[in-house]
Amino acid sequence: MRRSEVDRSKLSPMMQQYMDMKDNYEDCIIFFRLGDFYEMFFDDAILVSRLLELTLTGKQAGLEERVPMCGIPHHAYAGYVNSLVDMGYKVAIAEQMEDPKQTKGMVKRDVIQVVTKGTRLDEAIDAKNNNYIANIYDFEYCYGVSFADISTGEVYVELIDGEADKIIREVVKNGFREVIVNDKINREIVDILRTKHNVLITILSDLNEDSNYEYIYKDLEDERLVFTLKHLLNYIIETKKGDLHHLQKAVTIKSFEFLEFDINTKKNLELTETLRNRERQYSLLWLLDKNRTAMGSRFLKHNIENPLTNKKEIERRYDFVERLSTEFILRDDLIHELDNVYDLERLIGRITYGNLNAKDLLQLKTSLKSLPNIKDILEKLHFDKSIDTLDEVYSLLEKTICEDAPFTLHEGHLIKAGYNSELDELKAISSGSKDFILQMESEEKTRTGIKNLKVGFNKVFGYYIEVSKGQTHLIKEEYGYERKQTLANAERYITPVLKEKENIILGAEEKIINLEFKLFMDIREIVKRYASKIQRISKVISEVDMLQAFSIVSDSNKYVRPVLTTDKVIKMIDSRHPVVEQVMKDKYVANDIMMDKTTNVLLITGPNMAGKSTYMRQCAINVIMAQIGCFVPCKSCTMPIFDKIFTRIGASDDLVSGESTFMVEMKEAEYALSEATENSLILFDELGRGTATYDGMSLAQAILEYIHDKIKAKTMFSTHYHELTSLENDLKHLKNVHVSAIEENNSITFLHKIKNGAVDKSYGIHVASLAHLPDSLIKRADEILNIYEKKNVKKQVFTQTSLFEKDENEVEEKKNKIEEEFKKINPLEMTPMEALNFLYNLKKEVKKH
């Protein structure tokens, strides 16, 4: 039975209540609280029973046919919610808003929160990663993007100009799992994010006008940023429904303050996860994450994804890393104290929102206990940021919360003795029940003369007096005994005095639980007032933790402090790949990376497996490490500050959108060529290999010339087109280097050492032999190679003919026909075949003249 098929006029009041609620939450699975269970009905029940392998049953709802239903125990709902959210569903928690025992008629119910991918506050989210929810507000001429981690309270906002591709790259790079968009959005963006990148998309255009959250955006001058934030806040507040005042003032992202790169570069360099297994282990993040706190780990990941461009700030971090390495005893003391600090950002998030337990306050107390020592150590290290120790909060938690308090808040035993006199009195009454039993038992034995009389208690009948059957004749009417229960060999009685005492004791226990819960919530309200201070403390500790991790890693692996220069000079002596050297069984071969003021392009040749890609990657990784404030794996390092990094490394098809390796190559190349500046770093690994040899080589040369003449960015370009090495004669800022190898006895030994100059030979057949292809196949390939070499099938490479720039002494006296033809074309809009035809016609024209 489907919900849409139901005659609502026949429904029971409870099911009518459910249907009305579902009308408002069509896109959610509703967990509908009924007593000790959360139940789902109709389509939700059918779906959830299949997804979570629950028993699908039915419920009478006033109709002739039972409606589909499945249910879960209310105390175990979190695991089920997490599973559904991970699958991409939204779950609305509908709670009983009244006590059924004290309510006449139907209990009022309402949705207290909606749980989605981006709005989780529970402990199931990854402690070492931010969990962002984002929005895209399409202004039709630009995009507003804001994102928040509700668990930590961080809020960011930015404006992005450009086409749809740019906004998609931003979403994918930041790993947003849930995105809210307004109804003006290009539907192609929505479709790509949903189908290709598995992003949960919600389309709505309402803005939040609640002045309670105005503090988040009131300091922003750009009205577009305010609109963007109001759009996101509307969804967050409507979804979570609780107190979200731990959300912090929005930080405006200015792209020029960070080293920019896209998701392809992040993947190619394996910054946060490996390409093959998509795991954290063996990534740069894995190597550097020697943090002691979850906050520090998240801050490190954020910095790896957003390195700095501010030289002063980078140098400031270098200074502190250096100081920590020098003052290693203080560093060890600092590490010891950081081990006691829990995740303050997420603790204050749960405390503010209200989904906390006693364990959260105990973790906060333990963290606060270490703050005075951390503050003292930072002062000795002359760190330029200080922290507040919040002694009054620690004192409050120390005297109030029981060390062994239970996880739930409705079992009692939350508050220590001595904090509240009323609670102490109630506990004295409750704890005096044993003494009361012994005292009354003694008095009744004396009064009645019944020696085997007992006073006892059970949860079903409460307090009772038990007399064996053989002694019941001794009971007189004036004793006031009233028969309560008959057993096989005894009778149980109650008296007015006993009943009165029972009401006092049992009432005290209920009052204790209610009073402790109220006191606990009062304490929570006091702690909430310190939310902003605790957040400021957490930011300082996050940075300090990350910098101590840099110090540990740098000392352990003999990294050096980079020298940042304003000259366009890269001089990395004995540079290493930081991750590869950790996992290699053999000794890592270090290499120099040298690009002086007159060298912008390194053209790298050499056999496969010799280390060209690693050489290029280690340059980029060293740059990223340097610009997050970490020392680098070199003997010495001098480098400029880069604004952007672009990479095209490895061959891959985009099967989802049906694009070939070559098309992916060309798109990534176009992105680099259109976005790079002279302060960027470009890494192109064997660009052009995805198409025919002539096509690929022609495009590779044209791209090299364009970068050399137009962009002037520092570029590393590896290739198997050995003919391109002749460009060194024509492109004054290009330099040939190669990875050396020794060939002897028909075998090859890779030296993994970069040397100046070019190689004009490929070792593909030798590499195939190392891969243990059949000997007969290797022999035949060698014979074919010899035939080609004897035919001298060598591709001629066009020398540069001033396609992009004129010589300074050249005077334009008359129009050059070839030059005019070049002015008419845009290389980035030509297909490979059009480019080849153009070059062919150009060659004929050159021959004519």
Side-chain angles (χ1 to χ4, degrees), residues 293-462:
T293 69
M295 299 177 293
S297 293
R298 289 196 300 271
F299 189 67
L300 169 63
K301 185 172 184 283
H302 172 79
N303 274 267
I304 289 176
E305 294 172 338
N306 300 277
L308 305 176
T309 56
N310 185 314
K311 182 181 178 183
K312 184 178 179 181
E313 178 61 21
I314 297 170
E315 295 277 10
R316 172 188 160 272
R317 290 183 179 182
Y318 290 162
D319 290 342
F320 193 63
V321 171
E322 201 165 59
R323 210 171 301 135
L324 284 166
S325 295
T326 304
E327 301 285 351
F328 53 87
I329 295 177
L330 282 174
R331 182 183 67 189
D332 289 346
D333 293 341
L334 176 63
I335 290 170
H336 173 72
E337 295 299 337
L338 289 174
D339 283 335
N340 298 320
V341 178
Y342 287 89
D343 195 339
L344 292 174
E345 288 179 323
R346 286 187 170 160
L347 281 176
I348 203 62
R350 290 199 293 273
I351 289 168
T352 302
Y353 184 68
N355 62 332
L356 77 162
N357 55 37
K359 184 187 75 172
D360 293 324
L361 291 184
L362 290 172
Q363 288 183 349
L364 177 61
K365 185 185 81 170
T366 302
S367 304
L368 296 179
K369 186 177 182 180
S370 286
L371 292 188
N373 290 338
I374 292 174
K375 181 178 182 179
D376 182 54
I377 293 167
L378 294 182
E379 287 174 354
K380 290 177 181 176
L381 289 166
H382 305 295
F383 190 61
D384 56 359
K385 295 178 183 178
S386 63
I387 58 172
D388 192 335
T389 55
L390 302 185
D391 298 333
E392 62 276 25
V393 180
Y394 173 77
S395 177
L396 172 67
L397 297 178
E398 171 64 19
K399 68 183 181 183
T400 55
I401 308 300
C402 292
E403 304 295 341
D404 55 348
F407 285 137
T408 61
L409 302 181
H410 297 281
E411 294 180 25
H413 196 62
L414 296 173
I415 307 299
K416 288 181 177 178
Y419 176 65
N420 181 276
S421 57
E422 183 185 353
L423 180 64
D424 291 343
E425 186 177 336
L426 288 169
K427 285 185 175 181
I429 294 171
S430 178
S431 62
S433 59
K434 289 183 180 179
D435 295 335
F436 161 72
I437 288 172
L438 292 174
Q439 182 182 349
M440 186 166 189
E441 190 175 283
S442 175
E443 289 174 354
E444 288 302 302
K445 282 180 180 179
T446 303
R447 186 161 76 104
T448 63
I450 303 172
K451 302 301 181 186
N452 63 357
L453 178 148
K454 295 179 183 177
V455 177
F457 172 83
N458 67 35
K459 290 185 177 180
V460 177
F461 293 101

